[in-house]
Amino acid sequence: MSNRLLVLCWHNIDPTPAFPAPAGHGRRGFERQLQLLARFTTVIRLSTALDLIEHDEPLPPRAVVLTFDDGYRDMLDLAVPALAQAGLPATFFLVPGLVSGRIRAWWEDLAAAFDRTEAEELTWDGVRHDLGTPTARRQVHDRLLAPLKRLNHAAREDAVHQLTELLTPGDPDSDREYFLDWDGARALVSAGHEVGSHSARHVILSRESAPVQATELADSRAELQSGLGVRVDTVAYPNGTGEDYDDTTLRLAREAGYRCALTTRIGLAERDHSPYEMRRMVIGPTTNVPSVARYGWQAARTKFWARTPRASSRR
């Protein structure tokens, strides 16, 4: 038995503009990952893990929880059948704004604009960027992502709109093909999987005021519960690094009624850590899972990540 839990996180399986990959590699890789997990670990539901932790009961040996962020459509088309074949449960963290089509996935819009642009260069914040080759375009795209994530929601939306207009003037292509709608979200529940919140609009919570954070956390939970007819009591912070939530976020997540919150800070979740800062390891469908698991358990043994200080409150 164990006191440590490895929580894995995927986003998509098939390639998208934001997550490019050779066609077919993701599907084959993901199925292989699930086979290895089913054979060598004990995959349990997130709710089961939380129950055991809250009641101070030991976790099964090599306990693993599977999670998926954002609500990409291939979670239903590809992940759910593969999970069923392997007999494994998962938790899907959804964004009501994306599910309803009220907002667009800015990261997909930006990546698609760089893919489609015919511009040879881009001047942004007074810096000229060469766009002459696909490699150069991807490098510029990657370079701009980090500063965009440091903006609040309104400023980021404005910046992405300006960038996409400079790169590909006119209306952007629809991003609906990439994300689940409400019927798709309900199908996840019907397949026996759990659903959690990923904020109402996928905002970077620490960049927002306390009232905005409270609304994002509370409204997302209420809308998911109403739309899906299930209890939603877990949340995954968008982006999820130590810079993307703060002490205010932790307090508001608890006040909103969540029993735990997941980050993307590398390491294993342990019972002596706050349930509102659970560690997770983000992987792709072709990541070497045994290496990730070994790294996670080694990190837990050395306590490397536990000694890494989280950014303090910025409010």
Side-chain angles (χ1 to χ4, degrees):
M1 305 298 259
S2 172
N3 288 322
R4 294 168 179 156
L5 176 70
L6 174 62
V7 184
L8 298 176
C9 172
W10 290 263
H11 288 84
N12 62 309
I13 295 175
D14 269 350
T16 71
F19 300 102
H25 281 211
R27 302 184 185 205
R28 294 190 293 272
F30 182 69
E31 291 173 357
R32 175 62 175 163
Q33 288 174 331
L34 294 188
Q35 291 170 4
L36 290 171
L37 288 166
R39 182 177 179 184
F40 296 109
T41 73
T42 306
V43 177
I44 60 176
R45 295 180 180 276
L46 178 57
S47 60
T48 300
L50 295 174
D51 288 341
L52 293 172
I53 291 171
E54 289 171 2
H55 291 90
D56 201 27
E57 297 179 11
L59 294 161
R62 298 182 300 281
V64 176
V65 164
L66 312 182
T67 69
F68 299 82
D69 283 4
D70 297 339
Y72 279 89
R73 183 173 293 277
D74 64 7
M75 296 300 95
L76 178 62
D77 298 338
L78 301 179
V80 166
L83 289 164
Q85 180 69 27
L88 303 178
T91 299
F92 295 84
F93 291 99
L94 304 181
V95 181
L98 288 174
V99 176
S100 66
R102 292 193 303 269
I103 65 169
R104 298 181 61 85
W106 67 267
W107 59 94
E108 291 292 353
D109 282 349
L110 185 65
F114 272 98
D115 284 348
R116 299 195 313 268
T117 189
E118 297 180 0
E120 292 295 318
E121 64 180 47
L122 168 70
T123 300
W124 184 251
D125 280 345
V127 178
R128 177 190 172 278
H129 301 278
D130 172 52
L131 302 177
T133 66
T135 298
R137 291 194 289 274
R138 177 54 58 173
Q139 290 173 342
V140 176
H141 166 269
D142 294 347
R143 199 176 303 140
L144 295 182
L145 273 182
L148 286 171
K149 290 179 179 180
R150 289 194 289 267
L151 301 175
N152 65 30
H153 178 74
R156 183 168 51 253
E157 291 288 300
D158 182 62
V160 171
H161 175 74
Q162 292 182 49
L163 279 166
T164 54
E165 277 292 299
L166 289 170
L167 293 165
T168 55
D171 293 333
D173 289 346
S174 171
D175 64 355
R176 288 303 302 159
E177 64 180 289
Y178 295 123
F179 293 94
L180 295 169
D181 57 16
W182 283 107
D183 286 341
R186 283 187 281 269
L188 295 177
V189 175
S190 296
H193 297 291
E194 298 177 348
V195 169
S197 161
H198 201 38
S199 85
R201 297 175 298 164
H202 201 280
V203 304
I204 307 299
L205 290 163
S206 65
R207 313 302 177 190
E208 308 295 334
S209 67
V212 171
Q213 289 196 53
T215 298
E216 286 288 325
L217 292 165
D219 285 5
S220 175
R221 183 176 187 232
E223 190 170 357
L224 288 170
Q225 290 187 150
S226 174
L228 302 179
V230 296
R231 181 175 177 80
V232 173
D233 57 10
T234 59
V235 61
Y237 301 134
N239 215 46
T241 74
E243 297 295 321
D244 301 321
Y245 62 94
D246 55 25
D247 293 338
T248 298
T249 315
L250 305 182
R251 173 177 60 81
L252 293 173
R254 182 176 60 254
E255 293 176 357
Y258 295 106
R259 67 190 297 202
C260 84
L262 281 74
T263 72
T264 59
R265 297 177 64 199
I266 295 174
L268 300 188
E270 297 195 51
R271 64 179 70 247
D272 59 348
H273 294 146
S274 166
Y276 298 97
E277 292 185 272
M278 289 185 70
R279 274 57 168 180
R280 251 190 331 170
M281 302 187 73
V282 178
I283 65 174
T286 58
T287 302
N288 185 302
V289 167
S291 294
V292 169
R294 284 194 297 270
Y295 177 82
W297 270 287
Q298 180 62 36
R301 284 196 296 270
T302 62
K303 298 291 186 180
F304 166 78
W305 52 271
R307 292 197 301 267
T308 302
R310 186 184 61 78
S312 61
S313 173
R314 288 169 287 278
R315 299 294 176 198

